Amino acid sequence: MTSESTATPATPTLRELTVRGILLGGVITLVFTAANVYLGLKVGLTFATAIPAAVISMAILRNFRDHSIVENNIVQTVASAAGTLSAIIFVLPGLVMIGWWTGFPYWITVAVCAVGGILGVMYSIPLRRALVTGSDLPYPEGVAAAEVLKVGERTEGAEDNRIGLRIITFGSIVSVAFALLANLKVLANSITAYFRVGAGGSMFGASLSFALIGVGHLVGMTVGIAMLVGLVISFGIILPFRTIGDFAGSESVADVISSAFANEVRFVGAGAIAVGAVWTLLKILRPIVKGITEALVSARERREGQLVDITQRDIPFPIVVATIVVMLLPIAVLLWEFSRGTVLQGSSAGIIVASVVFVFVIGLVIAAVCGYMAGLIGSSNSPISGVGILTVLIAALLIKIVFGPTNDDQATALVAFTLFAAAITFGVATISNDNLQDLKTGQLVGATPWKQQVALVIGVLFGSAIIPPVLELMQTAFGFLGAPGASENALAAPQAALISSLAKGVFGGSLDWSLIGLGAAIGVVVVIIDEILHRTSRFALPPLAVGMGMYLPMSLILVIAIGAVIGYVYNRWAIRTGGDVQRKKRLGVLLATGLIVGESLYGVVFAGIVAGTGNEDPLAIFTGNDGNFAQIFGIVAFAAVILWLYKRTQTLSSREVGAKSGQ
């Protein structure tokens, strides 16, 4: 699954980068991006768009006689790139929240999104060979999207494919049905409990999400256990310790614990992610250099007339480098335009140069780290906001050092300047986090990398065009919590609020660096343990996965870990019962894929309903059915359905194996 030889080779006669595919991807982009922007500003969550786009694309393009699997792949590539770029809303609204902007200037916002996104595409190209084709990272959503495309392309013929399609479809329907029942308030889709631990406190949380079970199945036990270790560190040790003595006031136990996790523990997790990211980057430097060298060799062979397999053809490396260098000019212009007419004018040359260098250097680091994180647990669950926190902290420190002493007016302007520069870098992070998932899908279906990379750039341009008017609409209709003139229904924009507060803390000197330092120390210990395990056993403890387990909410991590255990048990069953083991494992992958597909599609529909009604719970009908009963009902139903789905998959797999062996 992780080598070039496993791809299904595409032939030159297949239609791939087509006008209709690009236009279809663009239409899907408009809907998905708008829904993602609204949902992200409302509740701080966005959904992955690759799999829903692949399903919609198949439903439409299969009506054309000359469609192909790689053309469908282009559609999902365009749509996923644009949908992912919408995560830039985790930074840009901060400029309104601090009172620097009153709205979102269209062309400036377009340029910020486009320049950051295109840089993200370019930086991810030399990483393809190192992190996709030459790596054993699971890429759960990339694999799931590829399975959807394969099964959808071959619904006629082999009995295996018909069974595979049934498993994906059934898993999707069950996943949608459960999510719908939860939104109708028939049952609960999450469990949360807060409790005292001695003089401190902690919490328990689990999201009853079939998609997270599917992700856990696909990422495997090593990543699942590492994330569980991070969870235990955060919720079993740090959170109880940090809340000692905090329960004397009028705040409830829930408020104290939630605040401590959001404002203290997550910063410890960010510090651990920073160390894990640096160590991961050091370990993948050699494969990255090797990948760049192989790309240069491939480009030279093509120029000399040698035949290079289409699955090895990237955008030529000289074009990649030239594009990156050219992009630095509009970045400098944007930063100059941003500071013109402010108290920074006349003294901004140094911070503009420093910021351009920062975007150029840190952009590559972020692209590698975010691509690796996406390979570990998928784009949807990757802690992009944690990367955003570290990016803003580094940018703020750099700008503060370069600029020197400031007065109050200059400090406010520098906070805004930092957020603006970080927004460009954040575009690099969001796109590279998604692109390598797409390139993994392309590898598995035999796509041409350079065509997919062009589609990624087109997707960025589509997304850049639609994000500003949606942001402006949200600002006009609701405003943002804490911003001047915000309405009582103001959108929380939680990540933007946190990141802007961090920038203020750096320039105001109020940031608690000890929390990040503690996380960094924990990260160093985990790195040492992981290296010892590598040298003395067959086990591993990926430091970045531990950091993510510390940073992300328990409700996500716990269910992903449970999914990893379920996947492990299922695969052990496949080995123990014999027969066609690989086929049995593949059917398990298809079930996990179906669980992700169903919830992803439902997420798109539900986001549209929320945006259209302006109501956070538009389907809540049985509002009286809440509390313990709804939670118990939800837990029992969730566990029973999961058990039934896997038993059903085992039965289908065993029956078919028996039928084949009897022929």
Side-chain angles (χ1 to χ4, degrees):
M1 190 170 67
T2 57
S3 65
E4 294 282 2
S5 61
T6 60
T8 305
T11 64
T13 57
L14 290 178
R15 294 171 61 89
E16 189 168 0
L17 188 62
T18 64
V19 173
R20 73 184 180 196
I22 291 171
L23 293 177
L24 178 57
V27 171
I28 297 173
T29 287
L30 297 178
V31 179
F32 284 9
T33 302
N36 247 344
V37 168
Y38 180 82
L39 204 60
L41 293 174
K42 185 78 174 177
V43 297
L45 298 173
T46 57
F47 55 86
T49 54
I51 294 173
V55 174
I56 294 171
S57 171
M58 286 190 304
I60 295 174
L61 289 185
R62 68 185 304 159
N63 296 310
F64 295 87
R65 184 173 54 83
D66 56 348
H67 77 279
S68 69
I69 189 172
V70 287
E71 185 182 16
N72 277 315
N73 181 56
I74 288 293
V75 176
Q76 72 87 15
T77 296
V78 172
S80 68
T84 301
L85 186 61
S86 62
I88 202 168
I89 62 171
F90 293 162
V91 179
L92 275 181
L95 290 168
V96 174
M97 300 173 95
I98 65 172
W100 192 260
W101 277 0
T102 57
F104 297 90
Y106 182 78
W107 289 111
I108 292 179
T109 309
V110 167
V112 169
C113 295
V115 169
I118 291 172
L119 273 178
V121 175
M122 293 301 117
Y123 278 137
S124 65
I125 290 173
L127 297 174
R128 183 186 71 86
R129 295 170 186 266
L131 295 181
V132 176
T133 61
S135 148
D136 59 357
L137 292 170
Y139 285 101
E141 289 166 356
V143 172
E147 293 296 341
V148 168
L149 291 172
K150 288 177 182 178
V151 171
E153 184 71 13
R154 301 178 299 186
T155 56
E156 297 179 1
E159 180 66 20
D160 271 1
N161 292 321
R162 284 196 289 271
I163 291 176
L165 183 60
R166 283 169 56 193
I167 289 175
I168 286 183
T169 303
F170 198 76
S172 299
I173 292 171
V174 170
S175 185
V176 168
F178 191 90
L180 177 60
L181 289 174
N183 287 134
L184 291 172
K185 302 300 181 183
V186 173
L187 45 72
N189 62 354
S190 63
I191 312 159
T192 306
Y194 301 90
F195 49 87
R196 297 289 296 271
V197 179
S202 189
M203 63 175 292
F204 174 85
S207 174
L208 304 181
S209 164
F210 285 96
L212 293 178
I213 293 291
V215 168
H217 182 132
L218 295 176
V219 302
M221 278 292 282
T222 298
V223 173
I225 290 174
M227 296 182 77
L228 200 58
V229 168
L231 181 151
V232 171
I233 293 173
S234 278
F235 292 91
I237 301 174
I238 299 174
L239 187 55
F241 179 78
R242 295 296 303 185
T243 52
I244 291 176
D246 289 348
F247 297 97
S250 59
E251 284 186 287
S252 67
V253 173
D255 288 340
V256 169
I257 293 172
S258 296
S259 176
F261 175 72
N263 300 317
E264 298 181 40
V265 177
R266 293 195 87 171
F267 288 104
V268 179
I273 287 177
V275 169
V278 171
W279 183 250
T280 299
L281 182 65
L282 292 175
K283 294 194 74 171
I284 63 177
L285 270 180
R286 181 179 293 179
I288 289 173
V289 172
K290 181 181 177 183
I292 292 173
T293 304
E294 289 175 352
L296 290 171
V297 170
S298 176
R300 186 179 68 248
E301 289 175 347
R302 290 174 63 188
R303 287 196 304 270
E304 293 173 353
Q306 296 185 39
L307 182 63
V308 176
D309 190 272
I310 61 172
T311 60
Q312 296 286 344
R313 300 176 188 174
D314 293 290
I315 292 177
F317 195 67
I319 295 178
V320 172
V321 174
T323 303
I324 292 172
V325 173
V326 167
M327 285 293 105
L328 299 180
L329 179 59
I331 290 174
V333 172
L334 282 169
L335 293 170
W336 173 81
E337 177 64 25
F338 187 84
S339 61
R340 187 169 63 89
T342 71
V343 294
L344 300 178
Q345 185 170 333
S347 55
S348 61
I351 58 175
I352 289 174
V353 172
S355 297
V356 171
V357 174
F358 171 80
V359 173
F360 177 71
V361 176
I362 298 298
L364 180 58
V365 174
I366 284 175
V369 170
C370 288
Y372 191 92
M373 290 194 304
L376 275 179
I377 63 167
S379 304
S380 298
N381 303 299
S382 189
I384 284 293
S385 59
V387 176
I389 286 171
L390 297 173
T391 300
V392 168
L393 288 176
I394 297 170
L397 283 173
L398 176 65
I399 291 169
K400 184 176 183 179
I401 292 170
V402 172
F403 192 86
T406 62
N407 56 40
D408 290 343
D409 290 340
Q410 288 174 326
T412 301
L414 287 173
V415 169
F417 186 91
T418 300
L419 292 176
F420 189 76
I424 298 172
T425 314
F426 203 78
V428 176
T430 59
I431 288 300
S432 57
N433 185 60
D434 173 75
N435 283 4
L436 293 177
Q437 278 301 350
D438 289 330
L439 292 172
K440 181 64 180 181
T441 301
Q443 178 216 353
L444 294 174
V445 301
T448 309
W450 76 262
K451 292 180 180 179
Q452 203 171 358
Q453 290 151 7
V454 169
L456 289 166
V457 172
I458 293 171
V460 165
L461 296 177
F462 275 132
S464 300
I466 191 62
I467 287 173
V470 178
L471 277 173
E472 186 67 30
L473 177 63
M474 295 299 106
Q475 159 64 8
T476 303
F478 304 104
F480 303 113
L481 199 63
S487 71
E488 62 179 16
N489 297 318
L491 299 168
Q495 286 88 348
L498 173 62
I499 287 174
S500 57
S501 297
L502 282 176
K504 289 179 182 178
V506 172
F507 288 100
S510 60
L511 188 64
D512 188 352
W513 289 98
S514 65
L515 296 174
I516 296 173
L518 174 61
I522 293 172
V524 170
V525 173
V526 173
V527 165
I528 295 171
I529 294 173
D530 181 53
E531 288 302 304
I532 292 173
L533 289 175
H534 272 299
R535 286 170 168 75
T536 61
S537 70
R538 59 187 179 87
F539 300 105
L541 192 67
L544 201 52
V546 174
M548 288 188 284
M550 294 174 62
Y551 178 84
L552 292 171
M554 179 189 286
S555 58
L556 301 181
I557 300 300
L558 185 61
V559 182
I560 290 175
I562 291 172
V565 172
I566 292 173
Y568 174 80
V569 171
Y570 177 88
N571 289 336
R572 294 300 301 173
W573 166 84
I575 295 170
R576 187 177 66 254
T577 54
D580 192 342
V581 174
Q582 291 305 314
R583 178 181 170 279
K584 290 182 178 180
K585 288 184 177 181
R586 179 172 177 266
L587 291 180
V589 168
L590 291 177
L591 174 59
T593 299
L595 299 179
I596 297 172
V597 168
E599 197 164 309
S600 299
L601 284 172
Y602 180 78
V604 176
V605 175
F606 184 71
I609 297 173
V610 170
T613 61
N615 183 355
E616 194 171 338
D617 279 321
L619 303 180
I621 296 176
F622 303 96
T623 52
N625 182 29
D626 54 14
N628 292 335
F629 175 77
Q631 289 192 354
I632 294 171
F633 185 27
I635 295 170
V636 172
F638 185 74
V641 170
I642 288 291
L643 179 62
W644 174 61
L645 284 172
Y646 273 91
K647 285 292 185 183
R648 180 178 181 273
T649 304
Q650 289 177 338
T651 301
L652 284 173
S653 173
S654 299
R655 184 183 303 159
E656 185 61 21
V657 169
K660 282 186 176 183
S661 63
Q663 290 176 351

